[in-house]
């Protein structure tokens, strides 16, 4: 089953939106298989956002993501990567549709509340950056047959 990494970014935690963000992903039917609060350091931030090294916003992005604790979670489900991206909305809240997390809760691209992996391959790399195997649970969900057809 596909997994994706979610980060409730510092602004989401500071603004008390952690529960709202996780609730939307849970209510969708995605299954949370790991979750914790951490304070990302510069090294971890640089690894997570390595693809953006050298871009004009990189330094600001590293400052932002390391500025305060975050909540990291792994969600699992059918097409979990794209499902979370759909719920998160466009990177820039100006372009994010109402009803999405960024569309409903954000104003600025540099304060856009949530991270979601952009491909199953990157999800696997990111999950390994943030979670040890023992921190992820394979748990039987009693409502599964009301959420998944198979
Ligand atoms: P994504 O989070 O939707 O995948 P990316 O393009 O991968 O978007 O960018 C990673 C993060 O970097 C964004 O979520 C946002 O926090 C930040 N970011 C991207 N572009 C800009 C920018 O132009 N100014 C400030 N921050 C940016
Ligand atoms: Mg991205």
């Amino acid at each position: 089953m596909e997994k994706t990494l979610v980060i409730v970014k510092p602004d989401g935690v500071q603004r008390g939106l952690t529960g709202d963000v996780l609730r939307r992903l849970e209510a969708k039917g995605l299954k949370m298989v790991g979750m914790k609060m951490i304070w990302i350091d510069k090294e971890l931030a640089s690894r997570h956002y390595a693809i953006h090294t050298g871009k004009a916003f990189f330094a600001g992005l590293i400052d932002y993501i390391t500025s305060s604790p975050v909540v990291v979670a792994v969600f699992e489900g059918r097409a979990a990567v794209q499902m979370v991206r759909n719920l998160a909305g466009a990177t820039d809240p100006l372009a994010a549709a109402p009803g999405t997390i960024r569309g409903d809760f954000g104003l600025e691209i540099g304060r856009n509340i949530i991270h979601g992996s952009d491909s199953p391959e990157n999800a696997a790399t990111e999950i390994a950056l943030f979670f040890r195997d023992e921190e992820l649970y394979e748990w039987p969900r009693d409502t599964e047959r009301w959420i998944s057809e198979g």
Side-chain angles (χ1 to χ4, degrees), residues 9 49 52 57 61 64 85 91 102 109-110 112:
K9 292 175 172 180
Y49 281 128
H52 297 301
F57 61 83
L61 175 60
Y64 162 50
R85 301 279 295 184
T91 305
R102 289 160 170 173
I109 194 169
N112 63 357

Side-chain angles (χ1 to χ4, degrees), residues 48-81:
H48 173 65
Y49 281 128
I51 193 169
H52 297 301
T53 308
K55 293 186 184 163
F57 61 83
F58 183 74
L61 175 60
I62 299 304
D63 284 347
Y64 162 50
I65 204 72
T66 59
S67 61
S68 192
V70 300
V71 170
V72 286
V74 177
F75 279 88
E76 182 183 279
R78 172 177 179 239
V81 166

Side-chain angles (χ1 to χ4, degrees), residues 16-79:
L17 297 173
T18 306
D20 286 280
V21 170
L22 298 180
R23 186 193 60 75
R24 288 177 179 219
L25 308 185
E26 286 187 312
K28 178 72 171 165
L30 294 165
K31 182 168 140 186
M32 188 160 57
V33 296
M35 196 268 286
K36 61 186 176 182
M37 177 179 262
I38 61 168
W39 198 320
I40 299 177
D41 63 22
K42 300 255 181 208
E43 195 203 323
L44 180 57
S46 303
R47 290 174 71 184
H48 173 65
Y49 281 128
I51 193 169
H52 297 301
T53 308
K55 293 186 184 163
F57 61 83
F58 183 74
L61 175 60
I62 299 304
D63 284 347
Y64 162 50
I65 204 72
T66 59
S67 61
S68 192
V70 300
V71 170
V72 286
V74 177
F75 279 88
E76 182 183 279
R78 172 177 179 239

